[in-house]
């Protein structure tokens, strides 16, 4: 068999990758049912798809669905640290995906791989964080010729797309997969919550019970984080800029404080805001000896890494795997996990497959919808059809053996009428 184009760490890891992908697939019943239908109907026949996604076993299962549907697929990573090298190898040798990604690539390689997958002249783009769309628009606009549209997987990517659209720069219809209920309510919340705790524990094996954990941002991800840390017995302090979300955190029983106050109190800090400079020099300067710093927001901007560098007299890189220790002049040490990048993907394996089953089922069904409907869509940020969201939830409930009520005709009439 001729292998697709690839640049991965080691094709010899493919066997381990296949096992990893198969293990994830066991918890992805919805995606499996979509794959079986795609294999029969081939809704993506003849289409080229370029994806910029975390190269994990769950992503591999999404790409298997697209392949079953008839698409040719190219894959770059959506973060320099998040690639599972065995999964990348399996994608190339077993599943016919052209992968250009390996763990620990530098930023130049990261950028180059984005261009490589765009040079395949894709019809559809699957993005996670908007780097692929951004690269095409900013650096290689000629490669947008022939692109019909795409999907965006995460909050930060949707925010960037809306900004491009508002400035009249976005030349494609981009579907905000992130904004579906089945994505945000489960993936961002339970997925990020659990896998972030997992990443912090793998990197540090620290005790969470009785410790003060500061969670920056109380959005979908932050809420999940706060719940998981509370479940581990931590005292959770929430920081926010949105008064309603801050109030929600208060009503849920969390301590809410400014970062100025929380900085000196925290044992562990986790950012999940999608914003920059949330933990700044003045905060780092007052932190306790041994404090742990982690980020679960999309980019490595939430903790001011330049400030951390400049406050330090020494850095012990790799004091543990995925952990660097910064030593201040007065002897205090702060531990930075996964270089301030997504800790749940850098130090753990990302979200559990059972959660990605829903997000990626939405991706697969939206890709099919885009392939069919792109002609009717104008450039801009487009919502996933509500029916897709409901369909994925229905399939998930069915796989769990859970039944729910349906509206009676009388109830439908009642809800659709204003008359007493
Ligand atoms: N780690 C992962 O696997 C993963 C998964 C999903 C989303 N994400 C990323 O996580 C980030 C958050 O996503 P979300 O869906 O929770 O977004 P969201 O919009 O629901 O929540 C973000 C929250 O942060 C708050 N915030 C903004 N600036 C702040 C500041 N300076 N201090 C404190 N709070 C601040 C906002 O008010 C908001 O409530 C995004 O970058 C998203 O792309 C990561």
């Amino acid at each position: 068999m001729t292998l697709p184009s690839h640049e991965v760490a080691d094709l010899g890891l493919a066997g381990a990758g296949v096992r990893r992908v198969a293990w994830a697939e066991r918890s992805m019943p919805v995606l499996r049912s979509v794959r079986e239908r795609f294999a029969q109907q081939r809704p993506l026949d003849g289409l080229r798809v370029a994806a910029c996604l975390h190269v994990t076993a769950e992503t591999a299962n999404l790409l298997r669905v697209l392949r079953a549907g008839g698409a040719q697929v190219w894959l770059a990573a959506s973060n320099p640290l998040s690639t599972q090298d065995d999964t990348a190898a399996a994608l190339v040798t077993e599943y016919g995906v052209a992968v250009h990604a390996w763990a620990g690539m530098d930023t130049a390689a990261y950028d180059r791989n984005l261009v490589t997958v765009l040079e395949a002249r894709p019809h559809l783009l699957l993005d996670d964080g908007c780097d692929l769309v951004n690269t095409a628009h900013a650096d290689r606009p000629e490669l947008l010729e022939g692109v019909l549209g795409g999907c965006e997987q995460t909050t930060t990517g949707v925010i960037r797309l809306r900004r491009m659209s508002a400035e009249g720069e976005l030349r494609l219809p981009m579907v905000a997969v992130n904004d579906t209920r089945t994505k945000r309510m489960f993936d961002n919340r339970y997925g990020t919550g659990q896998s972030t705790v997992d990443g912090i524990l793998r990197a540090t094996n620290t005790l969470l019970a009785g410790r003060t954990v500061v969670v920056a941002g109380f959005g979908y991800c932050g809420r999940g984080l706060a719940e998981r840390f509370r479940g581990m017995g931590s005292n959770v302090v929430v920081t926010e800029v949105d008064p309603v979300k801050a109030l929600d955190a208060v009503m849920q029983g969390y301590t809410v404080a400014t970062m100025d106050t929380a900085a000196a109190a925290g044992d562990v800090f986790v950012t999940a805001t999608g914003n920059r400079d949330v933990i700044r020099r003045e905060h780092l300067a007052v932190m306790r000896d041994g404090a742990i710093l982690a980020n679960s927001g999309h980019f490595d901007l939430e903790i001011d890494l330049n400030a951390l560098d400049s406050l330090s007299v020494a850095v012990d890189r790799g004091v543990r795997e995925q952990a660097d220790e910064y030593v201040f002049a007065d002897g205090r040490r702060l531990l930075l996990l996964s270089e301030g990048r997504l800790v749940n993907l850098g130090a753990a394996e990302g979200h559990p497959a059972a959660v990605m089953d829903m997000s990626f089922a939405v991706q697969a069904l939206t890709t099919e919808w885009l392939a069919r409907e792109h002609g009717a869509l104008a450039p801009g940020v487009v919502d996933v059809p509500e029916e897709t969201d409901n369909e994925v939830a229905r399939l998930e409930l069915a796989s769990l053996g859970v039944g729910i009520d349906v509206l009676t005709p009388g109830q439908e009439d009642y809800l659709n009428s204003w008359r007493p």
Side-chain angles (χ1 to χ4, degrees), residues 154-156 188 192 219-221 240 245 274-275 296 298 344 351:
T154 198
T155 313
T156 284
N188 295 24
T192 311
Y220 286 96
C221 293
E240 249 299 342
K245 289 181 180 167
N275 206 345
S296 248
H298 191 77
N344 61 328
H351 296 4

Side-chain angles (χ1 to χ4, degrees), residues 54 128-129 152-157 159 178 183-184 187-189 191-192 195-196 215-223 239-242 245 259 271-278 280 295-299 302 342-345 350-351:
H54 299 299
D128 184 341
E152 171 52 54
Q153 172 74 8
T154 198
T155 313
T156 284
I159 291 171
N178 176 74
K183 165 50 169 86
R184 282 205 283 217
D187 170 321
N188 295 24
R189 184 172 183 174
T192 311
S195 58
T196 298
V215 174
F218 200 64
Y220 286 96
C221 293
R223 236 171 295 160
T239 72
E240 249 299 342
V241 293
D242 179 319
K245 289 181 180 167
M259 187 58 83
T271 50
T273 70
N275 206 345
R276 63 174 309 139
D277 302 331
V278 177
R280 297 183 292 275
N295 167 50
S296 248
H298 191 77
F299 285 117
E302 305 213 9
L342 296 163
V343 70
N344 61 328
L345 282 138
H351 296 4

Side-chain angles (χ1 to χ4, degrees), residues 164-363:
M164 286 174 78
S165 182
E167 290 175 23
E169 296 291 341
L170 184 60
R171 289 174 47 192
L172 306 170
M174 286 295 300
V175 189
V177 167
N178 176 74
D179 292 1
T180 54
R181 290 187 298 162
T182 39
K183 165 50 169 86
R184 282 205 283 217
M185 284 170 61
F186 305 103
D187 170 321
N188 295 24
R189 184 172 183 174
Y190 300 102
T192 311
Q194 177 170 317
S195 58
T196 298
V197 172
D198 186 14
I200 291 171
L201 291 182
R202 288 195 204 194
T204 64
N205 199 21
T206 195
L207 179 70
L208 291 173
R211 300 296 159 87
T212 297
V213 177
V214 179
V215 174
F218 200 64
Y220 286 96
C221 293
R223 236 171 295 160
L225 288 166
E227 283 164 355
R228 300 305 111 182
F229 283 113
R230 177 144 79 180
M232 299 294 283
S234 306
N235 305 310
V236 178
V237 178
V238 169
T239 72
E240 249 299 342
V241 293
D242 179 319
V244 177
K245 289 181 180 167
L247 198 54
D248 185 19
V250 170
M251 298 280 176
Q252 290 192 41
Y254 297 108
T255 303
V256 174
T258 60
M259 187 58 83
D260 285 349
T261 307
D267 298 298
V268 179
F269 293 80
V270 191
T271 50
T273 70
N275 206 345
R276 63 174 309 139
D277 302 331
V278 177
I279 295 180
R280 297 183 292 275
R281 185 183 184 89
E282 63 268 29
H283 305 133
L284 296 165
V286 298
M287 282 184 185
R288 292 180 181 173
D289 180 32
I292 294 168
L293 299 165
N295 167 50
S296 248
H298 191 77
F299 285 117
D300 56 344
L301 298 165
E302 305 213 9
I303 301 165
D304 184 346
L305 300 178
N306 290 332
L308 186 58
D309 261 332
S310 71
L311 282 167
S312 305
V313 292
V315 185
D316 184 352
R317 300 216 181 267
V319 62
R320 277 178 65 93
E321 212 175 310
Q322 296 288 327
D324 299 328
E325 190 167 67
Y326 288 73
V327 186
F328 290 3
D330 63 3
R332 273 177 305 144
R333 290 163 303 184
L334 301 189
L335 198 68
L336 176 71
L337 306 189
S338 296
E339 302 168 14
R341 300 183 191 276
L342 296 163
V343 70
N344 61 328
L345 282 138
E349 295 173 66
H351 296 4
V355 161
M356 294 316 292
D357 191 30
M358 280 183 284
S359 311
F360 281 164
V362 175
Q363 279 274 14

